[in-house]
Amino acid sequence: MASEGSDGTGGADGAGTGATGAHELPVAVKILVAGGFGAGKTTLVGSVSEIAPLSTEEVMTEASMGVDDTGGVEAKTTTTVALDFGRITVSERVVLYLFGTPGQGRFWFMWDELASGALGAVVVADTRRLESCFPAVDFFERRGVPFAVAVNQFDGAHRYTAQEVREAVDVDPHVPVVLGDARERESGKEVLLSLVEHVIRRRSPALSG
Amino acid sequence: MSPAAGRLDEGAGPLVRPYTMTGGRTRPAAGAGLDMISIVVAARERVDWGELQPEHARILRRCRTPVSVAELSAQLDIPITVVKVLVGDLVAAGDVAARAPAPAADHPEAHVLQAVLDGIRRL
Ligand SMILES: Nc1nc2c(ncn2[C@@H]2O[C@H](COP(=O)(O)OP(=O)(O)OP(=O)(O)O)[C@@H](O)[C@H]2O)c(=O)[nH]1
Ligand SMILES: [Mg+2]
């Protein structure tokens, strides 16, 4: 039997000591898909997912309310936030989940929980209103979560170049900016590949040391 | 149908007040360490189904093959937080094993990243 503890997650191992070794299970990773309201997040998830996007909910409890920016409102109620997600079984050992984050700003607390442990994020920029992706970009920059920008080109909207988007959104030069259409699997693939390559580049200095 | 089953049906009711399923608990048992993408699977052959509460049984029936907490939540239409509490009970009872997500944020493992890259390329 494989030794326990190589998950590197300490306390979580208590959950792994069943008759079926937890180490025989695939390990999951997640990538977030964020952006403004109606930017095409669920569409992008659906275009690359092997299952139709599933929707679920998270109940925000009193305790979570403390970190929401509702400005000191004494919140006793629970709020339900909808999330949707897709799945890509990348190998026998690894399953990738893609989570569409709730668009509204008041659900920051949810982003925090979602972002913890995420491999990275895709920020969907809506070409009808580029500025709607700014909060997501700010969030991932502040949290140090690696991200790529997927420019979702809506029919009839202004056609930007990647460079124009890069300047408008003001991201670091190494952040991938990929033009595409959230409805096309090839677009989704391209931005996900750019993101993962970006994540690998970020960690390789540590590797070579 | 046994009288017990009838009673359970009533008790299971609509899912409007999710935490009634957990007896009001909003946090999983200490140490369960469950994440929304923890992968869980049934851990033993023999289960005394009669001993299980209906929600625990519903979850356990879906754990014959590995499944994530988020998928259980979507399939059963129970919020993630509540599923974590219920799965935590099953872990504590030895009915399911759980695997925590890869520690991706701080030090993603090279082989995991490579698998993700290859898997996306194959799409
Ligand atoms: N023309 C065009 N329509 C798109 C594109 N991407 C998404 N849509 C449409 O835009 C609408 C919103 O897309 P969603 O994927 O639901 O957006 P979302 O970001 O998940 O929205 P919320 O979760 O409500 O914030 C849907 O009707 C899509 O079909 C695109 O690239 N081009
Ligand atoms: Mg959506």
Side-chain angles (χ1 to χ4, degrees):
Chain A
M1 185 99 238
S3 72
E4 297 287 353
S6 58
D7 273 347
T9 43
D13 278 352
T17 52
T20 302
H23 290 270
E24 292 156 33
L25 290 173
V27 71
V29 293
K30 70 184 168 190
I31 288 176
L32 309 187
V33 180
F37 183 73
K41 303 179 292 288
T42 305
T43 305
L44 191 151
V45 169
S47 75
V48 291
S49 175
E50 68 198 15
I51 51 170
L54 293 171
S55 60
T56 180
E57 350 184 276
E58 183 71 304
V59 174
M60 176 162 63
T61 61
E62 278 175 71
S64 313
M65 276 303 228
V67 296
D68 189 14
D69 58 2
T70 45
V73 176
E74 199 56 53
K76 286 273 176 189
T77 52
T78 57
T79 305
T80 300
V81 183
L83 276 181
D84 43 35
F85 64 98
R87 183 185 70 209
I88 303 171
T89 303
V90 296
S91 76
E92 275 176 21
R93 314 278 312 140
V94 183
V95 186
L96 168 64
Y97 288 95
L98 298 164
F99 279 88
T101 63
Q104 289 106 315
R106 63 175 295 246
F107 298 128
W108 288 115
F109 74 92
M110 187 76 215
W111 290 36
D112 254 327
E113 182 173 343
L114 277 170
S116 86
L119 205 60
V122 171
V123 174
V124 182
D126 181 337
T127 52
R128 298 165 304 180
R129 35 173 191 249
L130 274 187
E131 68 286 354
S132 69
C133 75
F134 294 172
V137 168
D138 286 345
F139 177 83
F140 295 122
E141 281 178 347
R142 261 188 289 117
R143 286 285 308 247
V145 175
F147 65 97
V149 178
V151 184
N152 190 16
Q153 297 176 304
F154 279 84
D155 308 326
H158 178 75
R159 290 262 149 179
Y160 294 92
T161 64
Q163 187 55 32
E164 284 170 337
V165 174
R166 184 181 290 289
E167 282 164 17
V169 181
D170 190 24
V171 287
D172 284 351
H174 57 267
V175 172
V177 176
V178 179
L179 300 178
D181 182 325
R183 297 166 298 183
E184 305 283 335
R185 173 168 279 198
E186 283 306 314
S187 282
K189 272 180 69 170
E190 195 186 344
V191 73
L192 287 175
L193 285 175
S194 308
L195 171 65
V196 179
E197 284 163 356
H198 173 49
V199 171
I200 290 172
R201 275 195 305 275
R202 268 172 48 125
R203 89 191 273 290
S204 46
L207 261 190
S208 58
Chain B
M1 185 190 273
S2 72
R7 202 168 62 234
L8 294 181
D9 280 347
E10 263 172 55
L15 308 179
V16 285
R17 298 182 66 83
Y19 287 116
T20 59
M21 278 182 224
T22 66
R25 292 167 302 143
T26 58
R27 293 274 179 271
L34 290 163
D35 187 275
M36 66 177 86
I37 57 163
S38 288
I39 304 282
V40 302
V41 73
R44 56 182 173 208
E45 291 294 313
R46 282 171 49 83
V47 173
D48 192 351
W49 292 94
E51 290 281 289
L52 290 170
Q53 289 173 22
E55 287 80 17
H56 288 132
R58 288 175 76 204
I59 288 177
L60 195 50
R61 273 195 292 274
R62 293 186 176 264
C63 293
R64 293 196 179 110
T65 54
V67 62
S68 66
V69 166
E71 283 164 297
L72 288 169
S73 163
Q75 291 165 0
L76 297 171
D77 198 16
I78 305 175
I80 287 174
T81 341
V82 176
V83 171
K84 282 186 195 164
V85 175
L86 297 170
V87 170
D89 295 340
L90 291 168
V91 168
D95 288 320
V96 304
R99 180 159 194 192
D106 306 321
H107 40 89
E109 297 167 82
H111 73 275
V112 171
L113 287 172
Q114 192 59 48
V116 171
L117 205 56
D118 295 342
I120 295 168
R121 282 201 185 108
R122 270 195 307 273
L123 278 178

